[in-house]
Amino acid sequence: MYISLVCLILVQGIQAQILDKSWKDLVTDSDTQWYASMEAREVAENVLLYQRDIGGWPKNIQMQKPLTADEKKELMDLKLTAKGVTTDNEATFQEMLFLSNIYREQPNEKYRAAFIKGLEYLLEAQYPNGGWPQFYPLKKGYATNITYNDDSMVNIMNVLKELKDDSGFYSIQPADETLKRIEKAFDNGVSCILKTQYKQDGILTGWCAQHDEVTLEPAMGRAYELPSLSGKESAKIVLLLMSIDSPSIPVMESVASAHSWLNRVKIEGLREERTYDDNGKVVNKVMVEDANAKPLWARFMELENNRPFFCDRDGIKKYSLDEIGAERRNGYGWYTNEPKEVLKKYDRWVEANNVIEKLKAKKANPIDPFNVTVAKDGTGDYSTIQDAIDNAKSFPYEKITITIKNGVYNEKVKIYEWNTHINLIGESKENTIITYNDYFDKIGVGRNSTFHTPTLSVEANDFTAKNLTIENSAGDVGQAVALSITSNRVAIVNCKLLGNQDTLYASGEGKQYFKDCYIEGTTDFIFGSATALFENCEIHSKKNSYITAASTNPSADYGYVFRNSKLTAADDVDEVYLGRPWRIYAKTVFINTEMGSHILPKGWHNWSKPEAEKTAFYAEYNNRGKGFAPDKREPWSKQLSKSEAKKYTLENVLGNKQKSSKIAWYENL
């Protein structure tokens, strides 16, 4: 009797100990002796009961809690359903770890079978793009997003990595065929991670807690979980990438960029202070200044500028923790110190993998230096356009083609004088966008500030751009150039040039060809001294002003020639001049061009330079539309005769006087 009573007390004591622990602590902190016990077998029966036939488990369950007969029956009835099955809050991952730990000490086949079934669930739940949803089978709403939140996807990836690497961490090893699937799933997961890494102004940063499963863009979770960069989730993603043996160049670039970003956004001099009630529950959180505080990172940061923010359940951003209600302020982790592990391990990782040398070599030695690819997601030879140009051969003997994948490249790009024979080829005109926002007052270096504003500057001869949008996004704030060209034999084909004042600076003594382009702006938005032919282009005025401001060299036979083109305007625009002379020898001609009603009958303006009426050459031929009023044009402009118009051919405008049997630079574009 005494012995039985002692045993009962001991059993109750042990049971109390495991009930006092969280399920996570029980799984991870229990020693091998406990996993070999009868008590562990009893907990294992609960784990098996909670597993649905699809293979996964529900979340937030204290699996060690004893079950009544009715509860066991209810769980048996739920097995055929997928109710609540998820990888959120470490569900499924923790149960698989438990089964592995007990199988190591008590190798029962039913533990192994349940583990393998859980593994199959993870493999089945993966999207074709490599990501995992929060719930599978899929639930409506944000649960379908690719979920890095609370390290859900990273936990899955770590399971797969341990198994494919045969590390011994798990006591259960799948069949060879399954291992091949695991390896493929892991690689796809890494690809998804690289594709979802967010870029600010063309620079890789971190990750959002959730990303749209189709577009891969940052996505919203709950009402207070707005699309944002996450210090917490990004940390575990980087640590996963750093654990990969023999990492690829894209993985190295991803880690290096994320490390740099985490350094930039760390918060110093701030400490979280908590107040607890008698039960140990947090009843108040405040942030206090503390010069000796260890670095912190915000859980949510704005995508554009990394500014930390906070939210109540109303989804309205606040920029101070004390601005939100007690329930969300005290019940949510708004700050984290997890990135400290990335900073701690980074230098050792760089050294162990020879990262600096490999990244330098990659930039300097692409596989084919005459055909390289730029991709924002790190899958190309370069992730920025300027890097590709800077590493191109100087004065090459053959064309260098730089293919640019779809994306918004927020960068200033310069084709230097020695970068001759470069082709910039976008994946699509609508979705391959080079943009920047410099403007005259922002540059502020004096009267010539305009010429420092271009988004894309071309100083090299024999340059071609195709299928691109080139934009100055500064807005209507004065002079702001999108594209500047000061060189010879330059072709811009099937491109959109977007801006306001001074959109296109087509200048220099060379020849330029704009074919099948859309060019928009407000004032003098095509200006400069080049000989330039605009063929089959749409020229769109956004304001009552002037289209061209040529400054043609007096010795040039031709200036700006618009042929077979179309002049359009915004709905409220109705007074636009074809051009005015920036310099008094300006030459501008429109041939076979459709002119909208926004073009003023007088057509041309002398820019308050009466002498320009004698020296400028402004002419038209065979135009059409409501804006073509030849009888009302300024008397000092000219209507060409048919024989005069015949001189404005491709060969005459863009060629040279030396005959050659070679295909001309402006042909076959």
Side-chain angles (χ1 to χ4, degrees):
M1 179 72 176
Y2 174 77
I3 294 174
S4 298
L5 182 61
V6 170
C7 289
L8 179 61
I9 292 170
L10 286 172
V11 168
Q12 289 176 337
I14 294 169
Q15 191 174 73
Q17 289 175 21
I18 69 168
L19 291 176
D20 285 342
K21 287 186 175 182
S22 69
W23 172 236
K24 177 180 179 179
D25 288 344
L26 180 66
V27 173
T28 56
D29 294 347
S30 298
D31 57 21
T32 56
Q33 184 177 358
W34 182 82
Y35 274 108
S37 70
M38 175 66 74
E39 187 178 47
R41 284 208 301 274
E42 291 174 356
V43 174
E45 291 303 314
N46 288 357
V47 172
L48 297 176
L49 272 173
Y50 275 104
Q51 186 179 30
R52 310 292 194 243
D53 285 349
I54 196 173
W57 283 264
K59 66 178 179 177
N60 301 333
I61 305 294
Q62 296 299 100
M63 296 281 172
Q64 72 273 37
K65 181 182 176 182
L67 296 169
T68 66
D70 288 343
E71 288 171 332
K72 291 179 181 180
K73 182 180 182 305
E74 183 181 351
L75 287 171
M76 288 299 297
D77 292 340
L78 286 171
K79 274 194 168 291
L80 288 174
T81 76
K83 183 178 179 181
V85 175
T86 183
T87 56
D88 189 31
N89 288 8
E90 300 188 331
T92 300
F93 158 71
Q94 287 292 348
E95 286 71 42
M96 290 177 67
L97 179 56
F98 174 88
L99 290 169
S100 168
N101 290 345
I102 194 170
Y103 184 80
R104 195 186 304 275
E105 305 304 321
Q106 304 186 56
N108 190 313
E109 180 57 29
K110 63 183 179 181
Y111 302 152
R112 184 182 188 282
F115 180 93
I116 296 299
K117 186 185 286 188
L119 177 59
E120 288 292 335
Y121 168 77
L122 298 181
L123 294 173
E124 184 180 332
Q126 188 179 31
Y127 284 126
N129 62 21
W132 272 270
Q134 188 180 60
F135 283 83
Y136 184 81
L138 298 176
K139 295 176 65 175
K140 292 182 180 179
Y142 67 84
T144 64
N145 291 333
I146 293 168
T147 304
Y148 298 126
N149 193 40
D150 292 327
D151 308 319
S152 176
M153 182 165 153
V154 169
N155 288 335
I156 296 169
M157 293 281 285
N158 279 323
V159 172
L160 301 184
K161 185 178 185 301
E162 298 289 357
L163 292 172
K164 80 179 185 66
D165 291 349
D166 194 13
S167 67
F169 182 80
Y170 290 102
S171 65
I172 301 166
Q173 192 68 358
D176 289 345
E177 184 178 337
T178 304
L179 284 171
K180 291 178 183 177
R181 292 167 57 207
I182 289 171
E183 188 164 352
K184 183 178 179 181
F186 183 82
D187 291 343
N188 284 344
V190 171
S191 175
C192 179
I193 287 172
L194 298 181
K195 289 176 182 176
T196 50
Q197 189 171 12
Y198 191 75
K199 280 193 174 182
Q200 290 173 343
D201 298 335
I203 304 299
L204 288 167
T205 58
W207 289 262
C208 184
Q210 300 183 107
H211 289 254
D212 186 274
E213 70 273 19
V214 177
T215 67
L216 305 185
E217 292 298 315
M220 184 172 178
R222 290 169 286 190
Y224 51 87
E225 295 172 332
L226 303 180
S228 60
L229 288 165
S230 171
K232 179 183 184 300
E233 277 71 21
S234 294
K236 288 293 176 64
I237 293 171
V238 178
L239 290 171
L240 170 68
L241 295 178
M242 290 171 68
S243 73
I244 296 173
D245 292 332
S246 302
S248 66
I249 294 296
V251 168
M252 290 182 181
E253 290 176 328
S254 175
V255 171
S257 299
H259 170 263
S260 177
W261 173 73
L262 288 170
N263 256 322
R264 292 199 306 274
V265 300
K266 67 184 177 184
I267 300 166
E268 297 181 297
L270 201 62
R271 174 172 52 83
E272 183 181 276
E273 197 169 88
R274 300 182 176 190
T275 303
Y276 298 89
D277 64 15
D278 293 339
N279 297 318
K281 181 181 178 181
V282 178
V283 292
N284 194 34
K285 281 184 191 176
V286 294
M287 303 306 297
V288 297
E289 293 184 4
D290 182 349
N292 298 316
K294 294 181 179 179
L296 291 173
W297 285 262
R299 181 76 177 268
F300 298 105
M301 288 173 264
E302 290 188 328
L303 295 168
E304 301 81 12
N305 55 22
N306 305 311
R307 185 181 183 185
F309 69 87
F310 314 88
C311 271
D312 257 322
R313 293 186 184 274
D314 58 9
I316 299 173
K317 284 184 184 179
K318 306 292 184 182
Y319 295 101
S320 175
L321 187 59
D322 58 14
E323 291 184 74
I324 63 173
E327 186 263 338
R328 282 295 84 203
R329 183 175 71 251
N330 302 326
Y332 199 77
W334 297 103
Y335 291 93
T336 182
N337 65 358
E338 290 185 22
K340 73 180 188 300
E341 288 300 310
V342 174
L343 306 189
K344 179 181 176 182
K345 296 177 179 180
Y346 180 75
D347 288 343
R348 193 161 59 247
W349 173 81
V350 167
E351 184 178 356
N353 293 282
N354 203 19
V355 171
I356 295 174
E357 290 76 11
K358 287 180 179 178
L359 291 181
K360 284 182 179 178
K362 182 255 185 181
K363 284 188 174 182
N365 300 292
I367 296 173
D368 179 356
F370 292 97
N371 291 278
V372 298
T373 300
V374 177
K376 282 174 62 68
D377 61 10
T379 57
D381 298 295
Y382 302 95
S383 57
T384 70
I385 300 165
Q386 193 63 54
D387 270 353
I389 293 163
D390 290 345
N391 286 284
K393 292 178 179 292
S394 59
F395 303 109
Y397 291 107
E398 57 185 286
K399 284 283 186 183
I400 294 175
T401 297
I402 300 173
T403 300
I404 308 171
K405 294 294 186 180
N406 283 342
V408 179
Y409 296 84
N410 199 313
E411 55 177 305
K412 283 176 78 78
V413 178
K414 191 167 186 177
I415 315 294
Y416 294 95
E417 182 259 347
W418 53 85
N419 292 129
T420 56
H421 298 288
I422 280 184
N423 291 341
L424 283 188
I425 312 297
E427 186 174 355
S428 70
K429 175 176 65 176
E430 300 297 332
N431 298 308
T432 310
I433 302 168
I434 309 172
T435 182
Y436 210 74
N437 60 0
D438 276 348
Y439 57 95
F440 188 97
D441 288 340
K442 178 181 176 183
I443 294 297
V445 294
R447 64 187 301 166
N448 294 314
S449 294
T450 301
F451 307 106
H452 296 271
T453 65
T455 298
L456 172 60
S457 298
V458 181
E459 297 177 353
N461 294 338
D462 302 296
F463 171 82
T464 299
K466 288 185 180 180
N467 312 330
L468 295 169
T469 290
I470 303 163
E471 174 189 41
N472 190 309
S473 61
D476 194 5
V477 292
Q479 299 96 320
V481 179
L483 174 61
S484 167
I485 306 169
T486 56
S487 50
N488 192 23
R489 297 183 298 276
V490 173
I492 309 297
V493 182
N494 192 39
C495 288
K496 294 172 70 176
L497 309 182
L498 308 182
N500 288 278
Q501 184 174 348
D502 294 355
T503 302
L504 170 62
Y505 182 47
S507 203
E509 297 183 2
K511 304 208 173 171
Q512 304 167 16
Y513 187 22
F514 298 84
K515 181 181 179 185
D516 304 328
C517 290
Y518 171 89
I519 307 169
E520 70 171 28
T522 56
T523 299
D524 303 335
F525 60 95
I526 301 174
F527 72 113
S529 60
T531 295
L533 177 62
F534 298 82
E535 183 85 52
N536 193 35
C537 291
E538 179 179 354
I539 313 300
H540 186 76
S541 294
K542 298 166 66 176
K543 182 185 284 189
N544 288 331
S545 197
Y546 310 86
I547 294 175
T548 65
S551 57
T552 316
N553 191 300
S555 63
D557 294 328
Y558 304 93
Y560 289 162
V561 179
F562 295 83
R563 206 171 69 166
N564 304 318
S565 292
K566 186 176 183 180
L567 308 185
T568 62
D571 291 341
D572 60 344
V573 173
D574 57 5
E575 295 183 359
V576 173
Y577 291 91
L578 296 172
R580 60 178 180 171
W582 185 19
R583 295 293 181 267
I584 63 171
Y585 290 97
K587 290 184 174 71
T588 303
V589 177
F590 287 86
I591 298 173
N592 297 329
T593 291
E594 181 181 340
M595 298 182 172
S597 60
H598 61 293
I599 300 300
L600 287 164
K602 60 177 64 179
W604 308 93
H605 193 282
N606 69 8
W607 207 334
S608 301
K609 301 172 184 175
E611 68 275 24
E613 296 180 7
K614 298 177 182 179
T615 54
F617 184 79
Y618 285 155
E620 299 172 76
Y621 174 76
N622 197 37
N623 296 320
R624 61 194 182 279
K626 294 181 179 180
F628 181 48
D631 296 335
K632 298 179 180 179
R633 292 294 193 244
E634 288 285 4
W636 47 273
S637 67
K638 182 176 178 63
Q639 297 297 315
L640 300 175
S641 67
K642 186 174 183 180
S643 61
E644 289 173 323
K646 284 183 177 179
K647 297 178 182 178
Y648 290 84
T649 64
L650 266 175
E651 183 178 6
N652 285 346
V653 176
L654 298 179
N656 55 47
K657 296 178 181 179
Q658 295 179 341
K659 298 292 183 181
S660 173
S661 59
K662 294 182 180 180
I663 296 175
W665 68 273
Y666 48 82
E667 297 178 312
N668 298 331
L669 291 171

